[in-house]
Amino acid sequence: MKVRVTVNGVAHEREVEPRLLLSDFLRHEIGLTGTHVGCEHGVCGACTILWDGEPARACLAFAVQAEGHDIRTVESLAPAPGQLNALQQAFQDSHALQCGYCTPGILMTMTAFLAENPKPSEEEVRHALSGNLCRCTGYQHIVDAVLLAAERGA
Amino acid sequence: MTHSFGKPLTRNEDPRLLRGEALFVDDVELPGLLHVAFLRSPHAHARLLSVDLTAARARSGVIAAYAAEDLGDYWKPGPLLVPPPPVPGMVFHQCCQVPLVKDKARHVGEPVAMVVAESRYIAEDALADIVVEWEVLDAVGDLEAALQPGSPLVHDHLGVNVAARVHQHRGDYTAAAKAAALVVKRRFTYDRGASIPMETRGVVAQWDPRADRLTVWDTTQAPVVIRNGLAAMLGLSERQVRVVAPNIGGGFGPKMMMFYPEEVLVPWAAMRLGRPVKWIEDRLEHFFATTHERSQIHDAEIALDASGRILGVKDVFLHDNGAYDPYGLTLPLNSQCTLLGCYLVPAYDSVFTAVFTNRTLVTPYRGAGRQHGVFVMERLLDIAARELGLDRNEIRRRNFIPADAFPYDQGVIYQDFSRLSYDSGNYAPILEKALDAIGYDRFVQETQPKARAEGRALGIGVVCYVEGTGIGPYEGAKIQVQGSGKVSLATGIGSQGQGHATAFAQVVAEQLGVDIRDVEVTTGDTDQFYWGVGTFASRGAVVAGSATHEAAKVVRQKILKTAARHFECAEEDLVLADGKVHVVGVPDHSITLGALAGLANPMRGAVTPGTEPGLEATSYFGPAGGATASGAHAMIVEVDPLTLRPTILDYVVVHDCGTVINPLILAGQIQGGVAQGIGNAFFEQLHWDEQGQLMNASLADYLLPTALDVPRMRLDHTVTPSPLNPLGVKGAGEAGAIPVGALFAQALEDALDLPAKGIEILEMPLSPSRLWEITNGG
Amino acid sequence: MKPAPFDWQAPETVEAALALKSVHGDGARFIAGGQSLVPAMNFRVAQPGVLIDLSRVAGLDSLAWSPDGSLRIGAMVRYRAIERDAEVARHLPLILEALAEVAHPQIRTRGTLGGNLCHADPASEMPAVMLALQARMEVRGPGGTRILPAADFFLGPLTTALAEDEMLAAIMVPPLPAGAGTAFLELARRRGDYAMMGVAAVLRRDGAGRCAEARLAFCSAGPTPMAAPGAAALLVGTALAAADIAAAAEAAKAEIEPMGSVQASPAYQRHLAGVLAARALTLAAERAA
């Protein structure tokens, strides 16, 4: 069936099977492979995207459900090709990623979180992060990066 | 010249990862790409009577379906990756995994049939079409029951479930025990966990008949080994196979050169079908099909004199090998060797039996058997200290290998088959630093008594460990100055997040005087570098880093030689900095590395015989032995006295990994290791039922620690350079994870004042529920 | 982990949704937020032939307060909408306190209260909370509307009193008695996980400060959310002193039927029920005017 969805400000129209997961739609139909798939059961958070501005798991929605909605992925964050936005820059500055697989989901979760809570405490950052699993970093540098981005007014 | 070596520089690899541009295996899209799903055994142990693929093959969108018999001569057990060690009297039975089940399934999730279809969705649909007849057999799970006569057999032809038995000893333990003032004997158990990288495994293969070449994108930590193995299996020359390990979403061991069934079958299918084929492991498959680690049972004893000096240690342990043993004995050997720790152990008698069980294969996962050794030794010392009335730190101080005793030969054979010899170390200052940082004395004298008076259960733990790192045999590196002035570096190891593109760039930059952002590092592409072994055993920085250093030194000489000709001066009069060379004192008159690279590649005229073009060098490094890192972890924990849920209030790591290339990356490695250690100690455990079914195969039930479960860590370092490599570095990848189980046990006992109640923690992992059972007589 | 094929229907009225369900019977499932259903479909544990999406059905996504102070939560109201509603926070803080333990924001963005209740996972927080709040379920079927108390709605693990051709249209939460104090506490292995044990407590004092009314409901404590009326009854008439609360918490342990999981043995769960009930009752007693 036909689905029309806006991804990173661009309107897309595709013919899809109803069962196509939004994560697969973004990655393999639209070609936005920055959204990663880590569990396909809604726990790891690697596929977190913004759904009408709110963080959501792309693996727990069918593409057809996104009909008429506004989806944002990690590819939308950088202000221009080759650049980083303030949150991304804080991640590099703090060594907040190692393998980088969970990173896009964390960036999207934190983008929504900082929009709602621009000056969070460490405890609040850790709570907000707790729905995204990272296996490499032990989270400490991620927490540092989010606090740094907040301090810089990201 | 500005030095980059040793500086906490941010990473070269980050921008592309942060923008979502970096290539991972599942990002590979090719025209005509086909997708694979595997039918896997639902039984832990079952004879395969028949497989009927007729309906699956007939389904619309299915291109092919294969069972074992369809593989013909290609069906053969995988290679033995690590042969057994040269220990006299050793027993080893080689039973490597097979690509598809032929006679019987030996663990849940073992692949039985492979479906290739136009989409993964259709391939999964077709799995339901396959009709399989099984004769279900009793499963082998319990290590002790597996060795009893009459136990079901994982491999019938062996007649037993013994995979291996290795006895190593030095000194006379019996005499030591006889002379001892105290002998402590306990049983310790350590249960299964899994590495669970956030990216599962995956393979994409493309056969190009015009180029007569096969390209394989593989989530492997050892692309060169996989290239060589695939070439041999597929009847190709190595040069016809390119294996690319692009960005890998975490490895931690199980993505090594395993020759997993899927890794072997996907390239075969791509060649056979003439279309590119992709298989991406889903998380459910991952729990069954990617290797696990960690079940061991130790019956260990320690003999000490009245002052707490160790006279000897005896250990008899069982190691759960899972259903096949392609990785040989690396894990139990690591346990056997690492148990000796930082300590003088005059007499050591250790024998292990590796046991086949109807469970997923067991291969190295971060720490790789070392956790168990550290757990057993540190627990024995804790108990001995208590019985001798000694402070737990004092008993460690009294037994440390003294700083002047290095290199120190432990007299047993290590995982690299050489005698276990510690290259360098100085353990006492590490412990003192850790005690100081955690505020040990104050905690014991003030904080804890005050908390206890308030009904709060606070405890402290302090443990020490060593980690054998940086083993051989070798790695290599190729450095070229590009016409652009940038410097390329290629090495044969893969990278799974360790920051090689930065750390190795720092090694290059140190020699060539370039900005690290101008060093372009390629790891994990066999077309870029032909030789190598892989990323494991905390060896990347040590072995490939040293090879990089050696190559960079040669390129530096070539640069200076070319520049000396250009400036018509002596090499000694040249300054190499900021990507340029100038004559000392004349900085305005310089030549760029790019221009020098051009001069080094003349297009007309004649050259002196023996001249090699370009500013390029390839070097190899193979250490004489492994470098032994060491450290101490200390933690203060508060336990809810009723729910028994722990909260870590403070965590200190003091670590010695020799010379540090990049402290920022090192901190990340340590922090990530500790997080996995915390998971292994208190969150992560694979639960099996009697039939060998895994009960918690999801991320909702197998619990990776979250940002709320991993505390802020405070790190400090001591530096005892390794004499075994030119950089003086030791590995650091695994250290964070290794001592955490021992640390948790000690700190939880202390918090709940368990020894006073006659209760000891002798097992890992724990959970609130298990802790409640232990403290309530369970 | 890709779902099996299904047909997709996105009706715009309750009547159309019910008609589709009547036609397709138990081969069809309603999908609300999908945060429990989609993972089950990805694992292929659930393979409905038809999915009837309720997200476009008019009138299911509103929160409405009645003059008597009761709250009507449409079955498609997302968790995030509930947790951001200042009035809910003011009048029904128990819901907020429990919602904070429900998974993570990324799940609550899509997840709905109605979908959660219909999923009827006994480990889930909200069924226990609805039991403690004495919520009533507005059930729509071909024959019209019927109202079910929460206590009659949950029949077993993943089983509700909904007939095959019915749907949950709304949840009606009566106002808390004036001055009531509430508390929700749970212990999960990690924050956001299903609880090993969870408890919702509601207490009201009379003019003399004695307990006039008590309610206790547990999650992860049996095949359904489990009320502990016997334990609650013990509290009525007491001063809610520590000993009173301890006695009630102890009594509650006998009223539940924890089934155990890989995370917690039944004995430990029962122990936790006593610990958490005592703590929740203490908190609720402090909060009761």
Side-chain angles (χ1 to χ4, degrees):
Chain A
M1 58 187 290
K2 189 163 289 184
V3 60
R4 282 152 303 192
V5 53
T6 302
V7 183
N8 300 337
V10 180
H12 295 272
E13 186 172 314
R14 289 285 193 289
E15 193 67 33
V16 300
E17 264 194 288
R19 63 168 164 170
L20 184 70
L21 294 170
L22 179 60
S23 44
D24 285 334
F25 176 81
L26 293 171
R27 290 177 48 76
H28 304 303
E29 288 287 329
I30 307 287
L32 295 173
T33 54
T35 299
H36 294 156
V37 172
C39 74
E40 291 183 310
H41 52 280
V43 181
C44 80
C47 70
T48 302
I49 45 91
L50 297 186
W51 179 298
D52 296 334
E54 300 269 15
R57 310 290 204 214
C59 75
L60 293 192
F62 300 111
V64 292
Q65 289 177 288
E67 167 79 27
H69 289 280
D70 180 63
I71 304 295
R72 279 184 64 199
T73 70
V74 68
E75 286 91 345
S76 72
L77 295 182
Q83 294 185 11
L84 300 177
N85 78 2
L87 182 62
Q88 291 168 313
Q89 188 62 55
F91 268 59
Q92 182 179 24
D93 293 346
S94 305
H95 183 31
L97 60 154
Q98 290 182 27
C99 80
Y101 198 79
C102 70
T103 309
I106 290 180
L107 289 171
M108 300 318 285
T109 298
M110 288 300 122
T111 296
F113 170 68
L114 287 174
E116 196 168 330
N117 188 352
K119 291 290 171 209
S121 68
E122 170 162 356
E123 191 61 19
E124 288 169 331
V125 172
R126 286 183 179 271
H127 265 272
L129 254 182
S130 67
N132 289 80
L133 297 175
C134 168
R135 195 55 160 165
C136 293
T137 64
Y139 304 103
Q140 184 161 323
H141 285 169
I142 301 176
V143 173
D144 291 345
V146 176
L147 292 171
L148 178 64
E151 192 186 310
R152 290 174 176 171
Chain B
M1 170 179 137
T2 54
H3 289 276
S4 59
F5 191 92
K7 297 276 167 56
L9 302 181
T10 61
R11 300 198 316 169
N12 282 345
E13 44 272 86
D14 286 359
R16 291 178 55 75
L17 289 163
L18 285 162
R19 288 192 293 262
E21 296 167 354
L23 182 83
F24 290 85
V25 170
D26 190 28
D27 302 340
V28 174
E29 293 284 354
L30 298 164
L33 187 62
L34 297 172
H35 300 265
V36 169
F38 286 92
L39 182 75
R40 296 177 182 277
S41 172
H43 306 296
H45 196 193
R47 205 164 298 287
L48 179 60
L49 303 178
S50 68
V51 184
D52 183 353
L53 299 172
T54 317
R57 286 177 175 140
R59 177 179 283 271
S60 169
V62 170
I63 304 299
Y66 307 107
E69 65 202 39
D70 301 308
L71 303 184
D73 290 344
Y74 195 65
W75 190 97
K76 53 172 80 82
L80 178 67
L81 302 164
V82 184
V87 175
M90 179 224 48
V91 173
F92 179 71
H93 298 299
Q94 175 182 339
C95 295
C96 292
Q97 78 275 16
V98 300
L100 292 173
V101 171
K102 190 176 251 177
D103 56 346
K104 66 175 188 174
R106 295 181 172 86
H107 67 87
V108 173
E110 196 171 1
V112 177
M114 175 190 195
V115 173
V116 189
E118 295 290 352
S119 80
R120 170 76 182 213
Y121 289 76
I122 295 169
E124 287 191 28
D125 294 343
L127 297 184
D129 302 332
I130 300 173
V131 182
V132 183
E133 283 185 287
W134 296 100
E135 177 195 344
V136 179
L137 305 169
D138 287 339
V140 180
D142 181 87
L143 292 182
E144 291 182 290
L147 298 178
Q148 294 301 312
S151 166
L153 294 175
V154 179
H155 297 280
D156 302 83
H157 71 279
L158 295 180
V160 289
N161 288 316
V162 173
R165 182 168 286 130
V166 174
H167 185 195
Q168 296 211 68
H169 55 94
R170 72 179 228 202
D172 182 348
Y173 178 77
T174 310
K178 205 170 283 176
L182 174 70
V183 174
V184 169
K185 182 172 183 179
R186 295 290 187 278
R187 164 165 283 210
F188 301 95
T189 59
Y190 217 120
D191 204 9
R192 267 195 189 222
S195 69
I196 316 289
M198 296 321 300
E199 177 203 41
T200 55
R201 291 186 295 123
V203 187
V204 180
Q206 182 181 36
W207 172 252
D208 181 345
R210 289 181 183 81
D212 203 28
R213 290 196 82 202
L214 176 72
T215 302
V216 180
W217 292 263
D218 186 2
T219 56
T220 180
Q221 298 172 223
V224 174
V225 180
I226 293 293
R227 187 238 2 238
N228 296 347
L230 285 180
M233 291 175 195
L234 294 164
L236 301 170
S237 301
E238 286 91 336
R239 66 129 199 110
Q240 287 179 283
V241 182
R242 177 189 182 197
V243 173
V244 183
N247 291 276
I248 304 295
F252 314 119
K255 287 181 180 170
M256 257 180 280
M257 62 289 237
M258 285 301 302
F259 296 96
Y260 281 102
E262 305 88 354
E263 206 167 26
V264 168
L265 290 171
V266 168
W268 174 84
M271 289 186 72
R272 191 179 170 96
L273 297 171
R275 283 177 68 176
V277 176
K278 174 190 271 191
W279 169 74
I280 300 298
E281 183 182 56
D282 67 33
R283 188 54 72 181
L284 184 61
E285 293 182 284
H286 181 82
F287 272 101
F288 301 106
T290 292
T291 57
H292 300 161
E293 219 210 271
R294 244 145 255 185
S295 271
Q296 289 183 358
I297 302 172
H298 290 250
D299 288 305
E301 56 182 275
I302 187 168
L304 310 100
D305 70 14
S307 71
R309 282 188 200 283
I310 299 169
L311 300 178
V313 171
K314 183 179 178 187
D315 186 23
V316 177
F317 70 97
L318 302 179
H319 170 77
D320 177 3
N321 206 97
Y324 301 95
D325 60 357
Y327 221 85
L329 300 177
T330 299
L331 290 169
L333 276 175
N334 273 350
S335 304
Q336 192 167 53
C337 290
T338 307
L339 185 144
L340 293 165
C342 321
Y343 310 110
L344 290 168
V345 181
Y348 185 44
D349 192 303
S350 171
V351 56
F352 68 77
T353 304
V355 182
F356 285 120
T357 59
N358 289 119
R359 291 184 178 175
T360 297
L361 284 66
V362 166
T363 68
Y365 157 40
R366 201 175 202 166
R370 299 179 183 91
Q371 278 90 340
H372 316 71
V374 170
F375 183 67
V376 170
M377 186 61 149
E378 295 295 307
R379 291 274 67 202
L380 284 172
L381 286 173
D382 290 340
I383 296 165
R386 225 149 41 217
E387 302 212 355
L388 290 168
L390 271 179
D391 176 73
R392 55 186 135 171
N393 305 308
E394 185 55 29
I395 200 169
R396 288 173 168 83
R397 285 185 198 110
R398 288 185 189 180
N399 287 290
F400 281 145
I401 297 164
D404 59 6
F406 295 90
Y408 182 75
D409 183 351
Q410 286 283 22
V412 289
I413 301 293
Y414 191 46
Q415 61 152 313
D416 62 354
F417 311 151
S418 65
R419 272 167 79 96
L420 177 64
S421 177
Y422 295 178
D423 57 334
S424 65
N426 189 5
Y427 304 141
I430 296 174
L431 175 61
E432 301 314 322
K433 266 194 166 187
L435 293 174
D436 193 43
I438 201 83
Y440 184 84
D441 291 340
R442 188 176 159 187
F443 178 84
V444 171
Q445 287 155 19
E446 296 172 28
T447 315
Q448 189 177 46
K450 186 160 166 276
R452 283 206 176 138
E454 293 165 358
R456 294 172 64 194
L458 264 65
I460 196 165
V462 186
V463 297
C464 303
Y465 63 96
V466 297
E467 186 208 348
T469 77
I471 58 171
Y474 81 94
E475 291 297 341
K478 177 180 184 178
I479 295 173
Q480 288 174 316
V481 178
Q482 307 283 311
S484 62
K486 300 206 175 197
V487 179
S488 69
L489 164 70
T491 170
I493 67 172
S495 195
Q496 306 88 44
Q498 297 91 336
H500 291 153
T502 307
F504 294 165
Q506 288 176 258
V507 174
V508 171
E510 185 70 12
Q511 290 299 322
L512 303 192
V514 293
D515 191 297
I516 66 156
R517 301 286 185 244
D518 290 328
V519 183
E520 299 168 333
V521 179
T522 304
T523 63
D525 182 343
T526 60
D527 271 11
Q528 296 290 315
F529 197 81
Y530 192 86
W531 302 100
V533 183
T535 306
F536 53 86
S538 299
R539 67 191 291 279
V542 178
V543 189
S546 293
T548 299
H549 174 72
E550 296 299 330
K553 282 201 305 189
V554 176
V555 172
R556 177 184 176 85
Q557 285 314 310
K558 289 190 177 181
I559 290 170
L560 292 176
K561 196 170 163 188
T562 309
R565 256 201 314 269
H566 172 71
F567 285 118
E568 296 179 340
C569 69
E571 290 174 31
E572 297 73 34
D573 296 336
L574 292 171
V575 177
L576 171 51
D578 303 326
K580 297 185 283 253
V581 180
H582 64 85
V583 179
V584 68
V586 199
D588 292 346
H589 189 51
S590 65
I591 182 166
T592 64
L593 293 190
L596 283 170
L599 293 180
N601 184 25
M603 290 294 106
R604 288 288 186 275
V607 297
T608 333
T611 297
E612 291 174 0
L615 303 174
E616 171 184 316
T618 300
S619 295
Y620 298 89
F621 180 78
T628 304
S630 58
H633 288 206
M635 149 171 118
I636 293 173
V637 68
E638 174 158 17
V639 183
D640 182 322
L642 295 179
T643 67
L644 302 183
R645 193 173 199 282
T647 304
I648 300 170
L649 302 181
D650 197 7
Y651 201 109
V652 166
V653 177
V654 180
H655 187 53
D656 183 349
C657 59
T659 309
V660 175
I661 301 174
N662 183 323
L664 191 60
I665 289 174
L666 174 63
Q669 287 291 311
I670 299 287
Q671 289 161 4
V674 170
Q676 290 188 3
I678 289 170
N680 185 215
F682 211 82
F683 290 92
E684 302 176 39
Q685 186 170 13
L686 292 166
H687 296 274
W688 310 78
D689 72 4
E690 291 288 307
Q691 285 76 44
Q693 295 288 338
L694 185 53
M695 307 294 286
N696 57 331
S698 87
L699 290 183
D701 300 307
Y702 183 86
L703 311 176
L704 306 189
T706 72
L708 289 167
D709 304 311
V710 181
R712 182 162 285 278
M713 292 157 234
R714 296 187 291 129
L715 311 185
D716 200 355
H717 302 278
T718 61
V719 177
T720 314
S722 173
L724 299 179
N725 65 72
L727 299 174
V729 300
K730 300 177 176 184
E734 299 173 89
I738 290 171
V740 189
L743 183 69
F744 255 77
Q746 195 194 93
L748 291 173
E749 272 186 5
D750 189 44
L752 296 166
D753 203 16
L754 296 182
K757 300 166 189 160
I759 298 166
E760 293 171 337
I761 293 175
L762 305 174
E763 65 184 62
M764 276 291 138
L766 294 169
S767 67
S769 182
R770 181 63 195 141
L771 200 50
W772 185 78
E773 282 158 19
I774 291 171
T775 54
N776 284 273
Chain C
M1 288 180 59
K2 310 297 184 190
F6 53 83
D7 287 333
W8 181 257
Q9 299 287 344
E12 294 181 354
T13 64
V14 169
E15 292 69 25
L18 288 170
L20 282 164
K21 191 75 171 76
S22 292
V23 171
H24 297 289
D26 65 0
R29 293 279 298 266
F30 291 117
I31 180 167
Q35 303 299 284
S36 298
L37 181 56
V38 179
M41 292 176 68
N42 289 357
F43 280 113
R44 297 202 179 204
V45 173
Q47 298 194 20
V50 180
L51 275 190
I52 304 167
D53 177 24
L54 298 181
S55 67
R56 299 185 196 272
V57 173
L60 292 183
D61 62 350
S62 58
L63 279 172
W65 295 90
S66 299
D68 70 348
S70 69
L71 172 64
R72 185 180 186 278
I73 304 173
M76 282 301 296
V77 175
R78 313 271 174 185
Y79 279 139
R80 289 293 264 175
I82 299 174
E83 70 187 76
R84 285 185 173 152
D85 191 291
E87 295 298 297
V88 173
R90 195 142 64 103
H91 299 296
L92 295 165
L94 184 65
I95 292 181
L96 261 285
E97 201 166 17
L99 262 185
E101 307 289 345
V102 174
H104 299 96
Q106 299 95 327
I107 299 294
R108 300 200 295 269
T109 292
R110 306 272 308 139
T112 62
L113 179 61
N116 172 270
L117 298 179
C118 291
H119 186 59
D121 189 326
S124 184
E125 292 85 356
M126 282 301 140
V129 168
M130 291 302 129
L131 202 56
L133 291 175
Q134 299 179 338
R136 288 169 301 139
M137 307 296 156
E138 184 185 313
V139 174
R140 296 280 297 271
T145 301
R146 62 182 181 128
I147 305 293
L148 278 175
D152 296 340
F153 185 75
F154 303 103
L155 301 184
L158 312 185
T159 309
T160 68
L162 286 175
E164 195 182 292
D165 56 1
E166 288 182 320
M167 64 181 276
L168 178 66
I171 303 98
M172 290 177 295
V173 186
L176 279 170
T182 63
F184 183 87
L185 283 181
E186 73 170 41
L187 193 76
R189 290 297 305 276
R190 303 171 300 188
R191 213 208 66 70
D193 284 347
Y194 281 122
M196 294 186 283
M197 181 56 60
V199 58
V202 178
L203 289 177
R204 179 170 62 86
R205 296 179 191 271
D206 63 17
R210 299 199 163 266
C211 178
E213 186 183 355
R215 303 178 210 157
L216 268 178
F218 294 86
C219 61
S220 286
T224 61
M226 302 291 285
L234 285 180
L235 289 166
V236 176
T238 72
L240 296 174
D244 304 323
I245 285 173
E250 189 58 32
K253 287 160 70 175
E255 291 187 84
I256 59 171
E257 305 161 29
M259 298 180 290
S261 70
V262 292
Q263 311 302 353
S265 69
Y268 175 66
Q269 283 186 297
R270 210 178 280 279
H271 163 76
L272 279 184
V275 173
L276 295 177
R279 290 178 182 176
L281 287 168
T282 305
L283 259 181
E286 285 167 9
R287 291 167 178 174

